[in-house]
């Protein structure tokens, strides 16, 4: 792009900057949302609570199903991401 093109698109520079920042924030949020480590950690803590008797089997199974569903969602997202 030449000098003339740069001058004409200069007013759009703030928009491009905001778009870039918004994309970086979105990328980071998706990275955190689809990170399986916290889910695995919670599964481990859940099992520890069951062993210690802090929760009953029914509560354990209910939460375990939710966490396993979450792991399936994460796996599906990661396999579909190029």
């Amino acid at each position: 792009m030449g000098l003339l093109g740069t001058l004409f698109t200069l007013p759009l520079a703030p928009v491009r900057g905001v778009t870039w920042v918004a994309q970086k924030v979105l990328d980071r949020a998706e990275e955190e949302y689809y990170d399986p480590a916290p889910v695995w950690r919670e599964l481990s803590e859940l099992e520890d609570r069951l062993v210690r008797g802090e929760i009953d089997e029914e509560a354990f199974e209910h939460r375990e199903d939710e966490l396993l569903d979450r792991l399936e969602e994460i796996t599906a997202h990661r396999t579909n991401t190029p």
Side-chain angles (χ1 to χ4, degrees):
M1 186 180 301
L3 179 62
L4 197 53
T6 303
L7 288 175
F8 284 126
T9 60
L10 191 59
L12 298 176
V15 173
R16 286 192 301 263
V18 169
T19 302
W20 181 84
V21 169
Q23 185 62 49
K24 293 298 177 186
V25 169
L26 177 63
D27 291 345
R28 181 67 178 141
E30 281 185 352
E31 184 180 309
E32 286 183 23
Y33 183 75
Y34 290 111
D35 181 10
V39 179
W40 285 112
R41 192 169 30 255
E42 189 173 346
L43 273 169
S44 176
E45 291 169 3
L46 186 66
E47 185 176 9
D48 290 345
R49 290 180 63 202
L50 177 67
V51 170
R52 289 191 305 262
E54 295 175 7
I55 59 173
D56 63 4
E57 188 75 29
E58 184 179 340
F60 171 81
E61 289 178 4
H62 177 72
R63 185 63 183 142
E64 181 186 41
D65 287 343
E66 291 174 346
L67 292 170
L68 292 175
D69 288 344
R70 180 74 182 109
L71 281 174
E72 286 179 19
E73 177 186 358
I74 291 168
T75 302
H77 174 77
R78 287 179 171 231
T79 57
N80 291 336
T81 302

